Amino acid sequence: MLLEMAVGGFADRVAVGSCDDGLTFADLFGRAAATAERLRSVDAGHLVLADVSSEALPVLLFGASWAGIPFVPLNYRLPDGELRTLAGRVSPALAVAQPGTTERLDGLDGIGVVDRGDLWQGLSATRTTENDWGFEGEDVAVLLFTSGTTGDPKAAVLRQRHLVSYILGSVDFGSAGEEEAALVSVPPYHVAGIAAILSNVFAGRRLLQLPTFEPGAWIDLVRAEGVTSAMVVPTMLARIVEHLDAEGPSSPGLPTLRALSYGGGRMPQPVIEKALDLLPDTSFVNAYGLTETSSTVTLLGPDEHRAAVASDDPKVRRRIASVGRPLPGIEVSIRDEAGAETPDGEPGDIWLRGEQVSGEYREQGSRLTDEGWFPTNDGGWLDDEGFLFVTGRIDDVIVKGGQNISPGEIEEVLLRHPAVADTAAIGLPDREWGERIVVAVVVRGDVDISPDDLQDLVRHELRSNRTPDLVEFVDELPYNDTGKLLRRVLRERLAHLGDA
Amino acid sequence: MPELTPGSRWASQVCTTEVIIVRAPDGDVDLECGGSPVVPVGEGGPNGPPDAEAAGGSLLGKRYVDGDDTLELLCTKPGDGSLGAGGTLLDLKDAKPLPASD
C-alpha cells in the first residue's frame, strides 16, 4: 500500500541510488512484483536476507510484503553457526545471501538459498502479474531478531498494521522535495534500517545506502550526492565528528545536510555538543525506539536541541540528554516493580502503548499487558514537561546494599567531565554490599585525571551511595556493530575487580 | 456499515477513490464518497458519476477529518468524488510536520 501510493504519486522519481542510474519508484514497484511472483512460485514461507544493504533490499522488503510472507533480515556478521541457527528457526524460507556466500546457508532443512546477484539478474523490471497487492493488517511484515545482549536472540514480530501505523502517524505522504536524499548506514537487520526504507518511500525521498560504515566514506557520500537527511547510531556520530574536526578550519562542512537523527544507544554529551558546533545549519533529532515498537516512539526535535544547549536553566539544559517527547500516537508511562505508575518524576520501567507497538515475539507470544502496555525493560523517568530520560536496561541496575542504582545516572554525571570521553558503570560482586559500583572510563587525549576527581564529582552531583567504589581507566569500551554497549562483556573483562 | 476500525480500507462506488482509516470514533459512521456509501476495497469502482455537491475530488496522500476531529482517514487512491460522513463533507487536514527520525 505504501509503495503503491508512492508509485501513484511520483512514479518517475528516483527512489533508490544515484540520480543518474538509480531505481525509480516504478522500477521498485515492478521488481517488487517480480519478487513476489518468485516467492509464490517456490512457496517460500519466509524471505530471509543474509546480506548488506543494496538496492535489492527495498525490493525484497516490498516483495515479501506483496507475497504476504515475513521478511527476515539476519545479522550477516554472525559466525556461520549462529547464522544457521537463526535461519533454521524460520524454515521454510527462501534465503538471499550476500554475493559469493551461499555456502553459509546451504543444506538447511526447508531453506532454499540464492545468491543476491543471481536473484537480481533474474528479476525483470517489467511487471507481468496484475496488481493483486492486498493489505492484510495481521500479516507478519518483518521478523527481527533482537541483538541478544542478555541471552538467546528473540524474534520480534512486526505486523503490517504496526508498520503502517508508524508511517501514517509520523510521515506526511510525498512531503519530500525532489532534491531531497536520505543516507542510510544502519544495517538491514536493525529496525531503523527497515523504518528508513518505509518512511522515505512514503515521503518520496531518494534513498542512498552505505553498506559498511566508515566516517570518511559517509562524509564523501553526503557531499557527492547532496544528502539532505541521515540517521546514525551514536558511535557513528562520534566518528563523523572526529573526522570533520580533523579537517580543520578549511573544512567545507556538510552544507546540504538539513537533518541528522540519531538513536539506538546513549549519546555522550560532548559528542552531540561538538556536532551541534561543527554543523550549525543541521537540525538534530534524537529518536528513541525499540525493535518491538516499530522504531521511533519519542523524539527530541531540532529546536529542543538548540534550546537546551543555549539555556542557563539546568532543567532545560539537561534535556540535551533526554530522548524528547512521545509521537502523537504514543503514550508513555513510568511504572514501579509492581506495575503501578510512579509518582511525578520518579524513575521506573518505561511502558509504552500505541498502534505501532507490537511487543510480540514469535516463540514467546505477546508481552503486552491486558491494557495494551508494553513493558520495555528500559529504565527511565519523565520531567515535568514530559521529556523522557532513558537510564538504561533494568537488568543493568546495580544493587548495592539494597539500593537500586541506575548506571545511566552515574554515567551521565561522569560524561560531563571534560576529560571523560566515554564511560560505563557496572556492578561487580561485593561480599559486604552485594554489589560494588565499578566505572570503566575512557580518558580524552592525555588529560591528567585521578579516580578521586571522578569519585568526588559523583558524590557532589548525586548521593554518596552513588559514588563509584572503583574507577578503572580503559582504552575502549565494548560495543556491538550497531552501537550498543555490551555490559556483559565489560563485566567479564573487569571480573577480577569483584569479590570471587 | 461495519465499524470503521483503524487500518481498515474502503473504496468509493462512484469513482476510483480509496481510503484507509487512521482513527475513528466508536460506533457507526456513515462514510461516503461522491454522495454514496463506501464499500470494502475490492468491491467498489468508478460506477459514477458522483453527486454534483460531492464532486470536488479526493487527493492522493491527503488526510481528511470530520468537524469533531474524531474521524481521520488517508486517501490512498485519488478520485473525482468528495469524501463525507453522515451527509457532511470532510475537511482536508493541515499537515503536521514531524522532524524525520529515520
Side-chain angles (χ1 to χ4, degrees):
Chain A
M1 183 181 80
L2 302 176
L3 179 57
E4 284 175 284
M5 288 178 67
V7 170
F10 26 82
D12 298 329
R13 265 198 202 186
V14 174
V16 190
S18 284
C19 288
D20 311 328
D21 60 356
L23 294 180
T24 64
F25 284 94
D27 294 336
L28 182 52
F29 188 72
R31 286 174 190 264
T35 303
E37 204 170 316
R38 171 81 185 260
L39 292 169
R40 285 172 179 165
S41 73
V42 298
D43 227 353
H46 302 80
L47 176 57
V48 167
L49 181 74
D51 193 6
V52 297
S53 287
S54 74
E55 59 184 353
L57 170 64
V59 168
L60 298 178
L61 172 65
F62 287 112
S65 155
W66 194 327
I69 65 170
F71 181 61
V72 193
L74 299 180
N75 182 352
Y76 51 85
R77 290 189 175 97
L78 289 175
D80 287 1
E82 289 177 43
L83 188 72
R84 293 172 70 85
T85 302
L86 294 186
R89 283 167 62 181
V90 292
S91 173
L94 178 70
V96 178
Q98 188 170 1
T101 69
T102 52
E103 77 286 352
R104 298 190 71 199
L105 290 167
D106 266 347
L108 284 167
D109 205 23
I111 296 187
V113 192
V114 58
D115 183 289
R116 185 235 302 164
D118 297 341
L119 178 80
W120 192 248
Q121 293 292 321
L123 292 180
S124 161
T126 41
R127 199 146 55 80
T128 52
T129 45
E130 59 175 316
N131 181 5
D132 61 349
W133 198 343
F135 169 74
E136 294 297 331
E138 293 302 321
D139 274 358
V140 176
V142 181
L143 282 179
L144 285 173
F145 285 96
T146 57
S147 46
T149 46
T150 49
D152 273 346
K154 287 186 285 193
V157 174
L158 296 178
R159 298 179 185 274
Q160 296 284 356
R161 62 185 165 89
H162 300 126
L163 295 175
V164 167
S165 293
Y166 170 60
I167 297 302
L168 299 191
S170 63
V171 186
D172 267 317
F173 177 75
S175 54
E178 208 152 348
E179 75 292 353
E180 291 188 31
L183 174 54
V184 183
S185 41
V186 285
Y189 55 84
H190 193 289
V191 69
I194 299 294
I197 295 171
L198 300 178
S199 52
N200 287 304
V201 162
F202 196 65
R205 192 179 294 113
R206 184 163 63 100
L207 274 173
L208 290 157
Q209 299 163 316
L210 184 64
T212 309
F213 178 81
E214 194 279 312
W218 189 93
I219 290 167
D220 289 346
L221 197 52
V222 170
R223 287 173 182 158
E225 290 282 351
V227 166
T228 54
S229 63
M231 188 269 164
V232 290
V233 299
T235 44
M236 292 177 184
L237 186 60
R239 295 177 62 197
I240 292 164
V241 163
E242 217 168 83
H243 208 279
L244 281 175
D245 203 23
E247 287 182 344
S250 63
S251 165
L254 300 172
T256 62
L257 191 67
R258 299 175 200 168
L260 187 60
S261 76
Y262 60 91
R266 183 198 59 190
M267 175 66 77
Q269 200 164 330
V271 172
I272 186 63
E273 286 183 357
K274 186 83 189 170
L276 283 161
D277 184 44
L278 286 171
L279 300 170
D281 302 320
T282 300
S283 294
F284 284 83
V285 175
N286 182 4
Y288 165 70
L290 296 93
T291 305
E292 296 90 335
T293 60
S294 312
S295 195
T296 307
V297 286
T298 71
L299 284 180
L300 184 75
D303 298 342
E304 295 157 339
H305 270 84
R306 304 269 173 204
V309 172
S311 178
D312 294 328
D313 181 348
K315 195 180 77 183
V316 177
R317 209 176 157 77
R318 193 167 184 193
R319 289 184 185 144
I320 192 79
S322 83
V323 294
R325 288 186 278 204
L327 296 184
I330 292 288
E331 296 171 81
V332 177
S333 175
I334 307 294
R335 303 298 177 103
D336 66 18
E337 281 163 21
E341 198 150 51
T342 62
D344 294 340
E346 285 297 309
D349 187 6
I350 300 172
W351 287 26
L352 297 165
R353 184 162 71 176
E355 297 282 343
Q356 72 183 69
V357 176
S358 148
E360 180 188 352
Y361 304 99
R362 167 70 54 104
E363 286 102 357
Q364 294 84 353
S366 173
R367 287 296 160 92
L368 299 185
T369 67
D370 291 343
E371 290 80 36
W373 290 100
F374 175 58
T376 63
N377 207 27
D378 274 344
W381 54 279
L382 289 163
D383 79 5
D384 53 10
E385 286 180 45
F387 285 80
L388 178 65
F389 291 76
V390 179
T391 50
R393 301 297 288 170
I394 299 274
D395 306 336
D396 296 329
V397 163
I398 301 164
V399 186
K400 180 182 173 185
Q403 298 277 332
N404 286 348
I405 299 160
S406 160
E409 192 181 9
I410 297 170
E411 291 158 5
E412 194 199 331
V413 170
L414 291 176
L415 282 167
R416 285 189 229 146
H417 193 288
V420 175
D422 201 0
T423 183
I426 55 170
L428 289 175
D430 184 289
R431 278 194 208 106
E432 191 178 352
W433 297 98
E435 282 190 308
R436 65 182 63 151
I437 304 170
V438 177
V439 296
V441 173
V442 181
V443 178
R444 185 178 304 282
D446 47 7
V447 188
D448 204 21
I449 184 174
S450 75
D452 287 348
D453 298 339
L454 295 176
Q455 285 166 324
D456 286 346
L457 178 67
V458 176
R459 191 176 296 117
H460 177 74
E461 294 286 321
L462 302 169
R463 275 165 282 173
S464 62
N465 68 355
R466 262 67 173 166
T467 309
D469 297 294
L470 281 170
V471 177
E472 180 79 355
F473 294 109
V474 296
D475 292 335
E476 57 169 19
L477 295 176
Y479 286 95
N480 74 4
D481 54 337
T482 53
K484 262 201 188 120
L485 179 65
L486 299 171
R487 289 180 196 272
R488 183 173 45 84
V489 174
L490 185 65
R491 270 194 289 272
E492 285 163 12
R493 279 189 200 167
L494 300 184
H496 60 280
L497 299 175
D499 287 335
Chain B
M1 69 185 298
E3 214 175 320
L4 299 179
T5 49
S8 62
R9 298 170 71 208
W10 305 91
S12 169
Q13 299 191 71
V14 298
C15 70
T16 52
T17 298
E18 289 184 10
V19 301
I20 184 167
I21 306 299
V22 177
R23 56 200 166 86
D26 292 335
D28 291 344
V29 179
D30 294 318
L31 182 63
E32 299 131 10
C33 182
S36 302
V38 296
V39 291
V41 160
E43 297 171 20
N47 309 311
D51 289 352
E53 61 274 20
S58 61
L59 298 169
L60 176 67
K62 295 294 180 191
R63 292 159 195 264
Y64 292 86
V65 287
D66 64 354
D68 306 334
D69 201 25
T70 53
L71 172 67
E72 177 175 339
L73 45 86
L74 176 80
C75 173
T76 57
K77 277 188 189 154
D80 298 330
S82 303
L83 292 157
T88 309
L89 293 186
L90 299 180
D91 299 321
L92 199 59
K93 190 187 179 189
D94 291 334
K96 40 143 185 72
L98 278 176
S101 63
D102 41 42

